[in-house]
């Protein structure tokens, strides 16, 4: 039987359930267990695909084309697993399934209710990853215990634990132990109340993981064990790490969290092998090659989670080069002022990430012009590639009105245009070009060099593409089409020959980068930035 670990959070949101769950998965996989992961979100959107980055952070995309919660990025980066559509369910998706079945007469005239119909569907979703090839599934529940919308999910956990047997269904509660500076004390009361809410539902956590800024005293752990009805040796501390989130699994392993989980589930304690992870963490803390400055010019800079995978992939590229990356986050609109280019001084590389809408696009174009003309390594992703094409068209080809039809439908030079298969699409959710697609690389290009292969597969999320009607004009002016779809119709990567490192891709390489295996483009970009730094020109 596949065993389940249910991870819930209490007291406040943004405690880091995703990182905690991913760290546990990494440790269990490092002990030889086959682990899958799943995020269940209580909001009523069917998926986060139509949500603003300011509301939800980035939308993570899986190989099979699911638009999902950003925590799935942590799952893949930490645990080295591949997520799918079955790895993320929302209340909206679950309710849609229930209501569609009711409309089809699937409940045989019965009154459809939250219990049992919705909770049954939640349980089906929680079991979606069970198979003979999976030993343990970690189910993370989004939101905070006490939220109204979370109740059906918690009830489903209560029911499943009884149905599967408590030795096969473990409950881990992540909670906050705040430090009150004025009183000079750490307080356990909020965590006691959070667990009390779970107990009212019928869930008694097996393990408590306590987020804290300061180290807990023994008295705090004893009090939590007593009032939360959890054994003292199953109360663990998760103190804020100093250097990198990749330290979290190492710290949890030191306390034996993974050993406790295996003991409670009746599983053998296989040998833990995390030497490569520890070596990676050592590189993060002690980079041998100094510091490199990378500017990220985006339109959602004020919310760090909007570019979560971008920042992590840059860190991975830095790890692969034994260097520390200093990310300068710049709002694209700030570049549009007269003094905007001053923000780009002293950088060793420029990255333009994806996005939608025309706000800040001119700032991105100006930043790319600065990098191209000053021979600063440049990396464009999705909208970043489209902006690179627009900049080249305006300032090299002389097409002053060149634009994307997303921003200017009347432009005489639509160098970026809506994809043909998107022209009759009216629905917004889940209708873009999504998921993994193959790409053929041109021999002798930057991209072919860093990948070391002529065929790759990368994840996409877009509606607009390079307009191939202008392909000859660009090639004559020095733009290289370094990556194309296998049928030669879609441009995937563009590069500039006469430049130290100028590459832009339509896909999202950040989604396939991990700390133990940096994505080739990010690794190559950071290396080029280091060369720029060392030359000092």
């Amino acid at each position: 039987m596949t065993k389940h670990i249910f991870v819930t959070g209490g007291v406040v949101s943004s405690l880091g359930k995703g990182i905690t769950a991913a760290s546990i998965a990494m440790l269990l996989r490092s002990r030889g267990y086959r682990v899958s992961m799943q995020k269940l979100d209580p909001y009523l959107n069917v998926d986060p695909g139509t949500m603003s980055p300011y509301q939800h952070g980035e939308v993570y995309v899986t190989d099979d084309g699911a638009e999902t919660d950003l925590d799935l990025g942590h799952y893949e980066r930490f645990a080295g697993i591949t997520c799918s559509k079955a790895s993320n369910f929302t209340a909206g998706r679950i309710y849609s399934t229930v209501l569609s079945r009711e409309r089809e007469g699937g409940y045989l005239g019965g009154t459809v209710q939250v219990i049992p119909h919705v909770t049954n569907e939640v349980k089906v979703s929680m079991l979606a990853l069970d198979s003979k090839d999976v030993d343990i599934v970690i189910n993370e529940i989004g939101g905070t215990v006490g939220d109204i919308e979370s109740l059906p999910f918690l009830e489903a956990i209560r029911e499943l634990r009884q149905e599967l047997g408590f030795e096969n269904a473990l409950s881990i509660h992540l909670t906050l132990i705040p430090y009150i500076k004025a009183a000079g004390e750490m307080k356990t009361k909020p965590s006691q109340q959070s667990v009390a809410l779970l107990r009212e539902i019928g869930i008694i956590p097996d393990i408590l993981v306590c987020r804290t800024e300061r180290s807990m005293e023994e008295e705090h752990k004893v009090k939590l064990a007593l009032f939360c009805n959890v054994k003292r040796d199953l109360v663990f501390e998760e103190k804020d790490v100093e250097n990198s989130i990749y330290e979290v699994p190492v710290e949890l392993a030191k306390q034996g969290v993974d050993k406790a989980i295996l003991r409670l589930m009746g599983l053998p304690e296989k040998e833990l092998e995390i030497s490569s992870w520890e070596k990676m963490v050592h590189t993060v803390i002690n980079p041998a090659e100094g510091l490199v400055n990378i500017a990220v010019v985006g339109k959602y800079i004020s919310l760090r989670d909007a570019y979560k995978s971008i920042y992590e992939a840059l860190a991975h590229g830095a790890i692969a080069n034994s260097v520390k990356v200093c990310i300068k986050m710049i709002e694209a609109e700030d570049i549009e002022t007269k003094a905007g280019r001053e923000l780009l001084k002293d950088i060793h590389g420029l990255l333009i990430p994806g996005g939608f809408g025309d706000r800040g696009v001119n700032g991105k174009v100006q930043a790319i012009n600065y990098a191209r003309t000053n021979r600063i390594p440049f990396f464009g992703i999705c909208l970043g590639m489209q902006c690179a094409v627009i900049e080249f068209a305006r300032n090299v080809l002389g097409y002053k009105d060149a634009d994307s039809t997303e921003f200017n439908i009347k432009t005489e030079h639509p160098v970026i245009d809506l994809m043909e298969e998107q022209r009759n699409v009216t629905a917004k959710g889940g209708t873009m070009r999504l998921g993994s697609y193959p790409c053929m690389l041109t021999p002798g290009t930057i991209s072919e060099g860093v990948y070391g292969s002529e065929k790759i597969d990368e994840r996409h999320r877009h509606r607009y593409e390079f307009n191939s009607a202008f392909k000859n004009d660009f090639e004559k002016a020095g733009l290289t089409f370094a990556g194309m779809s296998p049928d030669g119709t879609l441009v995937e990567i563009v590069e500039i020959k006469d430049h130290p490192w100028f590459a832009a891709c339509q896909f999202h390489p950040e989604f396939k980068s991990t700390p133990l295996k940096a994505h080739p483009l990010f690794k190559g970009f950071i290396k080029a930035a280091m060369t720029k730094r060392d030359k000092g020109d």
Side-chain angles (χ1 to χ4, degrees):
M1 177 182 289
T2 300
K3 296 178 183 287
H4 284 258
I5 300 173
F6 299 105
V7 180
T8 55
V11 183
V12 296
S13 59
S14 301
L15 274 183
K17 290 193 303 296
I19 292 173
T20 302
S23 297
I24 290 170
M26 175 265 180
L27 294 175
L28 294 175
R29 277 178 56 85
S30 297
R31 287 187 180 274
Y33 287 96
R34 299 168 298 177
V35 181
S36 287
M37 300 191 71
Q38 183 186 72
K39 176 72 180 291
L40 294 113
D41 281 304
Y43 54 75
L44 289 176
N45 302 71
V46 173
D47 60 46
T50 59
M51 296 169 69
S52 165
Y54 291 123
Q55 289 277 319
H56 189 265
E58 76 173 7
V59 174
Y60 192 80
V61 179
T62 60
D63 277 346
D64 61 355
E67 293 176 289
T68 72
D69 185 82
L70 61 82
D71 276 326
L72 272 69
H74 294 312
Y75 301 167
E76 294 201 350
R77 288 188 287 269
F78 278 73
I81 63 177
T82 300
C83 293
S84 67
K85 292 179 180 179
S87 301
N88 193 196
F89 285 85
T90 69
R93 182 175 170 186
I94 288 166
Y95 276 91
S96 293
T97 301
V98 171
L99 293 174
S100 294
R101 188 176 297 130
E102 185 274 333
R103 291 288 84 187
E104 295 166 359
Y107 296 109
L108 300 177
T111 301
V112 179
Q113 298 175 293
V114 172
I115 301 173
H117 302 99
V118 171
T119 51
N120 282 347
E121 192 61 36
V122 172
K123 288 189 289 184
V124 169
S125 302
M126 288 176 168
L127 298 173
L129 294 173
D130 285 27
S131 77
K132 63 180 181 180
D133 299 318
V134 177
D135 299 315
I136 302 168
V137 174
I138 300 179
N139 307 92
E140 178 196 347
I141 311 301
T144 306
V145 170
D147 295 343
I148 292 174
E149 57 265 32
S150 298
L151 291 175
F153 293 87
L154 299 178
E155 170 61 20
I157 290 175
R158 186 194 68 77
E159 294 176 15
L160 258 184
R161 294 188 75 199
Q162 288 187 323
E163 293 168 12
L164 298 176
F166 290 99
E167 71 281 4
N168 297 317
L170 194 72
S171 173
I172 297 178
H173 190 55
L174 180 68
T175 183
L176 177 68
I177 308 296
Y179 175 76
I180 309 301
K181 186 175 181 181
E185 293 180 336
M186 299 180 76
K187 295 294 184 181
T188 64
K189 185 66 71 177
S191 295
Q192 294 176 40
Q193 293 175 337
S194 179
V195 172
L197 287 172
L198 276 177
R199 292 168 66 182
E200 286 179 9
I201 297 166
I203 300 172
I204 299 177
D206 299 289
I207 291 175
L208 281 185
V209 178
C210 304
R211 280 297 311 276
T212 174
E213 295 179 1
R214 303 189 177 207
S215 295
M216 297 168 62
E217 301 293 339
E218 178 64 19
E219 64 179 282
H220 300 127
K221 297 177 182 179
V222 170
K223 184 181 288 187
L224 284 167
L226 176 64
F227 290 106
C228 297
N229 201 27
V230 176
K231 291 182 179 180
R232 162 60 193 87
D233 63 345
L234 297 177
V235 178
F236 297 97
E237 174 183 290
E238 192 175 84
K239 184 182 175 183
D240 293 351
V241 291
E242 294 183 6
N243 301 285
S244 168
I245 57 174
Y246 300 126
E247 295 177 71
V248 174
V250 178
E251 294 304 315
L252 291 179
K254 288 178 181 177
Q255 297 180 65
V257 172
D258 51 329
K259 291 181 180 180
I261 290 170
L262 294 174
R263 184 173 70 251
L264 289 170
M265 300 188 104
L267 294 171
E269 185 185 305
K270 302 177 185 179
E271 184 178 354
L272 178 66
E273 175 49 62
I274 57 171
S275 58
S276 58
W277 192 272
E278 290 174 324
K279 183 179 178 181
M280 176 272 294
V281 171
H282 182 268
T283 301
V284 172
I285 299 172
N286 305 284
E289 299 297 329
L291 185 71
V292 65
N293 299 323
I294 302 296
V296 175
V297 178
K299 58 190 298 180
Y300 313 115
I301 290 295
S302 61
L303 182 67
R304 188 177 179 88
D305 277 353
Y307 299 118
K308 185 64 178 176
S309 291
I310 292 286
Y311 298 144
E312 291 304 310
L314 284 171
H316 304 159
I319 293 167
N321 287 284
S322 298
V323 69
K324 181 177 181 180
V325 62
C326 177
I327 301 175
K328 188 175 185 179
M329 305 173 192
I330 303 173
E331 286 284 357
E333 289 174 290
D334 292 343
I335 301 291
E336 297 172 13
T337 66
K338 288 184 179 180
R341 289 197 172 201
E342 294 293 318
L343 297 171
L344 298 172
K345 282 190 174 182
D346 302 320
I347 65 169
H348 305 127
L350 169 69
L351 187 148
I352 305 288
F356 298 92
D358 62 355
R359 182 179 62 79
V361 165
N362 285 334
K364 292 188 176 188
V365 170
Q366 290 176 35
I368 294 168
N369 177 262
Y370 181 89
R372 182 178 61 79
T373 56
N374 288 279
R375 300 178 65 76
I376 296 170
F378 167 74
F379 188 11
I381 295 175
C382 198
L383 179 59
M385 187 205 89
Q386 296 172 9
C387 288
V389 168
I390 292 170
E391 190 280 327
F392 194 91
R394 290 177 183 176
N395 299 305
V396 178
L397 294 177
Y399 300 157
K400 297 303 180 184
D401 75 328
D403 217 329
S404 166
T405 52
E406 180 184 3
F407 315 134
N408 181 8
I409 194 67
K410 296 181 180 179
T411 177
E412 293 183 5
H413 297 93
V415 292
I416 302 295
D417 199 7
L418 189 65
M419 298 178 69
E420 190 62 37
E421 59 265 35
Q422 291 286 322
R423 296 191 183 279
N424 296 319
V425 174
T426 56
K428 298 297 183 185
T431 57
M432 286 186 274
R433 187 175 188 240
L434 293 166
S436 184
Y437 288 88
C439 170
M440 304 303 296
L441 302 181
T442 303
T445 58
I446 292 172
S447 301
E448 191 266 342
V450 297
Y451 276 100
S453 173
E454 291 186 10
K455 183 180 180 182
I456 60 172
D457 290 273
E458 293 287 357
R459 300 177 189 179
H460 296 67
R461 184 176 184 252
H462 63 104
R463 297 184 194 278
Y464 290 80
E465 259 282 1
F466 177 84
N467 188 342
S468 294
F470 294 92
K471 194 167 182 285
N472 290 337
D473 295 347
F474 279 88
E475 285 182 317
K476 290 177 182 177
L479 194 74
T480 299
F481 296 95
M484 301 289 296
S485 59
D487 61 5
T489 59
L490 298 178
V491 173
E492 298 279 26
I493 308 175
V494 298
E495 298 179 5
I496 292 179
K497 295 178 182 178
D498 186 24
H499 194 281
W501 208 95
F502 191 106
C505 55
Q506 184 59 72
F507 49 81
H508 287 269
E510 68 271 24
F511 294 149
K512 296 184 74 171
S513 186
T514 74
L516 295 180
K517 188 177 181 180
H519 190 281
L521 286 172
F522 280 91
K523 182 179 178 180
F525 173 57
I526 294 295
K527 186 176 182 179
M530 292 169 65
T531 301
K532 172 69 176 177
R533 176 201 64 184
D534 296 341
K535 286 184 176 180
D537 54 6

